[in-house]
Amino acid sequence: MRILVTLDVMMARRKVTGRELAEHVGITEANLSLLKQGRVKGVRFETLLRICDYLDCQPGDLLAFERAAAAGSAPVEAA
């Protein structure tokens, strides 16, 4: 199981640069890059709030849950 960060996709849709977003949110471009790569252990709600405010989106637009499939089992399809 893991959380996928799709921040880069939303930034591309909104045509927002990392520099613009980092400045608005109040974090460094380096930390924003780590967040986009999913290489952080956590994110503050305040940071998530500022990102969503600037990109006009919901937290679910930036994060996705991926469940690991059991070894040797086929993916389950929705009915």
Side-chain angles (χ1 to χ4, degrees):
M1 294 185 286
R2 66 182 182 155
I3 300 293
L4 300 174
V5 180
T6 57
L7 176 57
D8 55 341
V9 174
M10 187 57 69
M11 287 175 62
R13 285 183 186 161
R14 301 289 193 255
K15 297 183 173 119
V16 172
T17 66
R19 175 169 284 158
E20 288 175 281
L21 185 58
E23 185 176 311
H24 177 80
V25 172
I27 60 175
T28 65
E29 288 183 67
N31 283 339
L32 180 63
S33 178
L34 290 172
L35 181 59
K36 289 188 331 186
Q37 295 171 36
R39 302 185 79 181
V40 295
K41 295 283 183 185
V43 60
R44 292 182 178 185
F45 284 130
E46 182 68 22
T47 301
L48 187 57
L49 181 138
R50 288 175 182 245
I51 291 171
C52 289
D53 177 55
Y54 195 77
L55 296 176
D56 190 28
C57 66
Q58 296 294 314
D61 297 331
L62 306 174
L63 305 171
F65 174 72
E66 182 180 82
R67 185 179 308 273
S73 68
V76 177
E77 294 185 22

